[in-house]
Amino acid sequence: MPLRRSAALLAVLAACARAPLAPGPTPPEEAPRRAPAQDGVASYYGANFAGRRTASGERFDPRKLTAAHRELPFGTRVRVTNLANGRSVTVRINDRGPFAGGRLVDLSWEAARELDMLRSGVARVRLEVLAD
Amino acid sequence: MPLRRSAALLAVLAACARAPLAPGPTPPEEAPRRAPAQDGVASYYGANFAGRRTASGERFDPRKLTAAHRELPFGTRVRVTNLANGRSVTVRINDRGPFAGGRLVDLSWEAARELDMLRSGVARVRLEVLAD
């Protein structure tokens, strides 16, 4: 994640630059949390998975706003934006995947519906992890 | 397949009944083949399965007109009609399923698109097996 690294570096540099002037009470911890953004391809899964167990143990409900991601912790809230139309939706990670096809995230049918990507089947999206 | 068996039985009976009258040149083979119809719920699967092997060994392509059925032989052509809007599409069985949710058939994304059921996610359909 070069962006994250650069942002962190900038924050450190900024802190250093300020330090000699005034060692203020608000070091980096209070800086607004930078959500690491990832761009990639999303697809979705629907009724064919209804009722099956997700990797989190929860049953999959295609009408809920959830998603599968390979790494983000279960329960993480992520804002997903369809880069083709600007629509966005907040989903909760409750499953693992996608493991094929070079995609970044698999959304629930409901999330795909809100992003208006049911007809395209796939979409380029941006993921932003939301603070707890 | 009780329907198909009854149809065969009827054809045999009909042939027998006709036999004494005139052993015509058109025995059961020329009788119109009765496609056994099944009604049930369809869902679909899409890009999240793209490239994976189906039960027939063929790779799944969501843009092709295929379907998963628990019993019909691979290669069987089936007409699927969306009972909500009358649209129909012919698909080729190349996968096994659905194994959960009490559904009758899982269609490819393209088949679901042609039946205009992407937004509903599921639909009541009628399946009719087509003659080879």
Side-chain angles (χ1 to χ4, degrees):
Chain A
M1 293 183 196
L3 271 179
R4 188 192 224 168
R5 222 175 278 142
S6 317
L9 188 60
L10 278 175
V12 169
L13 289 175
C16 291
R18 267 211 316 268
L21 301 175
T26 59
E29 295 94 294
E30 279 215 7
R33 272 221 211 162
R34 206 79 183 88
Q38 302 182 302
D39 287 6
V41 174
S43 67
Y44 67 94
Y45 52 136
N48 56 322
F49 275 100
R52 289 207 213 170
R53 294 268 178 208
T54 60
S56 69
E58 198 178 312
R59 287 193 185 278
F60 177 63
D61 181 346
R63 313 281 155 154
K64 288 190 176 163
L65 295 172
T66 60
H69 189 277
R70 279 186 297 277
E71 295 151 16
L72 289 168
F74 295 138
T76 304
R77 289 166 61 247
V78 179
R79 182 160 65 179
V80 186
T81 304
N82 183 344
L83 297 175
N85 59 20
R87 295 173 73 106
S88 71
V89 67
T90 297
V91 299
R92 186 172 45 82
I93 303 298
N94 75 342
D95 203 3
R96 288 287 169 242
F99 299 112
R103 299 184 315 281
L104 177 62
V105 67
D106 267 357
L107 303 168
S108 67
W109 176 89
E110 177 63 26
R113 190 178 71 82
E114 297 202 9
L115 293 180
D116 200 12
M117 54 172 277
L118 295 178
R119 292 195 76 82
S120 53
V122 292
R124 279 202 68 81
V125 297
R126 172 160 300 164
L127 296 195
E128 293 166 285
V129 175
L130 302 178
D132 302 326
Chain B
M1 295 185 192
L3 272 179
R4 189 189 222 165
R5 220 176 279 143
S6 318
L9 186 61
L10 277 175
V12 168
L13 289 175
C16 291
R18 267 212 314 272
L21 299 175
T26 60
E29 295 91 296
E30 281 214 9
R33 273 220 211 164
R34 205 82 184 84
Q38 302 182 303
D39 287 6
V41 173
S43 68
Y44 66 94
Y45 52 135
N48 56 321
F49 274 99
R52 288 206 213 171
R53 295 268 178 209
T54 60
S56 69
E58 198 179 312
R59 287 193 184 278
F60 177 63
D61 181 347
R63 312 282 154 154
K64 288 191 176 163
L65 295 172
T66 60
H69 189 275
R70 279 187 298 276
E71 295 151 14
L72 289 168
F74 295 138
T76 304
R77 289 167 60 247
V78 179
R79 183 160 64 177
V80 185
T81 304
N82 183 344
L83 297 175
N85 59 19
R87 295 173 74 105
S88 71
V89 68
T90 297
V91 299
R92 187 171 45 80
I93 303 298
N94 76 342
D95 203 4
R96 290 286 169 242
F99 298 113
R103 300 183 315 280
L104 178 61
V105 66
D106 266 358
L107 303 169
S108 68
W109 177 88
E110 178 63 26
R113 191 180 68 84
E114 297 201 10
L115 293 180
D116 200 14
M117 54 172 275
L118 295 178
R119 290 195 77 81
S120 54
V122 291
R124 280 201 68 80
V125 298
R126 172 159 301 164
L127 296 196
E128 293 165 285
V129 175
L130 302 178
D132 302 325

